Amino acid sequence: MQFLDPQVAYDEFASLANFYKRFNKVYLDKLAIERQKKHLEKENLFFKSLLKQYLDGVSVNEDVMGSDNPLLVVNHRIHLNRQPVERDDKPVIEAAHVIATRQRSGL
């Protein structure tokens, strides 16, 4: 008859709800960590590739001398196999700075 008691059923439901809240939080953290791990592994491979190209460029042996040197600059072009740097941030000039500059210059 304890299963028919609404208070017992509510307490059991509340404890299960708390359990599933904690379980879902841990599961989301696990997924986020796995996603971050994949991203870091990809980034690690990229940096290993850049490091290998650099080390090949500064070392002298037959294999390196027979291929393109990544550190040799010809006509302002380098031969590193890397992505160009893209900046997302744009320069920002604050209004207070502009006003102060104009006041000092007498405009």
Side-chain angles (χ1 to χ4, degrees), residues 72-97:
L72 182 64
V73 178
V74 177
N75 295 331
H76 304 289
R77 292 189 177 132
I78 60 174
H79 298 289
L80 279 178
N81 295 327
R82 62 175 175 80
Q83 299 293 327
V85 176
E86 295 180 13
R87 296 189 63 169
D88 292 336
D89 56 334
K90 295 181 179 160
V92 176
I93 301 174
E94 294 185 9
H97 176 72

Side-chain angles (χ1 to χ4, degrees), residues 10-92:
Y10 177 78
D11 290 342
E12 187 174 329
F13 176 76
S15 64
L16 281 175
N18 287 335
F19 168 77
Y20 279 115
K21 269 192 225 175
R22 290 188 311 228
F23 177 81
N24 288 336
K25 183 183 181 319
V26 169
Y27 189 69
L28 286 174
D29 288 345
K30 178 184 169 234
L31 291 176
I33 289 170
E34 287 174 355
R35 181 177 289 166
Q36 182 72 15
K37 180 182 176 189
K38 287 179 186 177
H39 173 74
L40 290 174
E41 286 173 346
K42 183 179 175 183
E43 190 177 38
N44 189 23
L45 287 174
F46 172 74
F47 285 125
K48 280 183 179 181
S49 170
L50 275 181
L51 182 61
K52 181 179 182 326
Q53 290 176 40
Y54 173 77
L55 291 176
D56 285 347
V58 296
S59 65
V60 178
N61 60 33
E62 290 299 320
D63 293 336
V64 172
M65 297 308 289
S67 63
D68 290 338
N69 190 332
L71 298 181
L72 182 64
V73 178
V74 177
N75 295 331
H76 304 289
R77 292 189 177 132
I78 60 174
H79 298 289
L80 279 178
N81 295 327
R82 62 175 175 80
Q83 299 293 327
V85 176
E86 295 180 13
R87 296 189 63 169
D88 292 336
D89 56 334
K90 295 181 179 160
V92 176

Side-chain angles (χ1 to χ4, degrees), residues 93-104:
I93 301 174
E94 294 185 9
H97 176 72
V98 173
I99 292 171
T101 305
R102 287 183 180 171
Q103 287 176 349
R104 275 188 247 133

